[in-house]
Amino acid sequence: MGRRYYCDFCDKSFADNVSNRRNHLNGVQHRALKKLHYESLQDPEVILSNDASKRPCRQFHQSGDCRFGGACKYSHLTPEDRERLKTLVATQQESKKRKLPPVLTTDPGEHLAEWLNGRKRPASENPDDRSVRKDESVEDESVINLRSYSIPSLLNGFTNLPVSILPPEPKSLLNVDLVEWG
């Protein structure tokens, strides 16, 4: 048994070869079902805007069925459906308004500076400043060379920096066995 092609839109299966697939994909039934599927996924606002210019379909509203289906040039929405879509669109627009940030009326640089100042800690609490201080006593001359290693000034105000960026404590390097690499 050869490979089979299954079309999700039409819920059909057939032998998969170029001619069968081309004939199916270009068929009227497949195109109509594909269009119907994608129309069902449209945004309610788009559905309302497309339907606003259409007149009601008499046949659909009298009998509940239209021989043209999704290809009908008239509207198949009932007044209840239209009201339901309007309320849905209104709630979506209201939720979008709530999620949007307020419009900046001042210079954005001021807001950035204010935000950065809020992230800074006082110097006494700043764990990032781990360079050797003058009041600390240093027992080994090799530790003095670490004074030049400090965090770049741009990063001093940030909290929770990764450990890989923080300079090591000078005293923690006194008892480390250094192994040559290579």
mmCIF file of all heavy atoms in Angstrom, residues 16 30 78:
data_model
loop_
_atom_site.group_PDB
_atom_site.id
_atom_site.type_symbol
_atom_site.label_atom_id
_atom_site.label_comp_id
_atom_site.label_asym_id
_atom_site.label_seq_id
_atom_site.Cartn_x
_atom_site.Cartn_y
_atom_site.Cartn_z
ATOM 1 N N ASP A 16 -1.379 9.454 -2.348
ATOM 2 C CA ASP A 16 -0.559 10.655 -2.460
ATOM 3 C C ASP A 16 0.325 10.587 -3.700
ATOM 4 O O ASP A 16 1.312 9.870 -3.735
ATOM 5 C CB ASP A 16 0.295 10.820 -1.205
ATOM 6 C CG ASP A 16 1.005 12.152 -1.164
ATOM 7 O OD1 ASP A 16 0.582 13.070 -1.885
ATOM 8 O OD2 ASP A 16 1.985 12.273 -0.406
ATOM 9 N N HIS A 30 -12.701 21.667 -1.619
ATOM 10 C CA HIS A 30 -11.550 21.908 -0.742
ATOM 11 C C HIS A 30 -11.384 23.405 -0.485
ATOM 12 O O HIS A 30 -11.182 23.827 0.657
ATOM 13 C CB HIS A 30 -10.267 21.333 -1.352
ATOM 14 C CG HIS A 30 -9.048 21.688 -0.571
ATOM 15 N ND1 HIS A 30 -8.706 21.053 0.595
ATOM 16 C CD2 HIS A 30 -8.097 22.632 -0.787
ATOM 17 C CE1 HIS A 30 -7.591 21.583 1.069
ATOM 18 N NE2 HIS A 30 -7.196 22.545 0.241
ATOM 19 N N THR A 78 -27.164 36.900 12.774
ATOM 20 C CA THR A 78 -28.428 37.313 13.384
ATOM 21 C C THR A 78 -28.149 38.524 14.277
ATOM 22 O O THR A 78 -26.996 38.774 14.644
ATOM 23 C CB THR A 78 -29.014 36.170 14.231
ATOM 24 O OG1 THR A 78 -28.099 35.871 15.287
ATOM 25 C CG2 THR A 78 -29.260 34.921 13.391
#
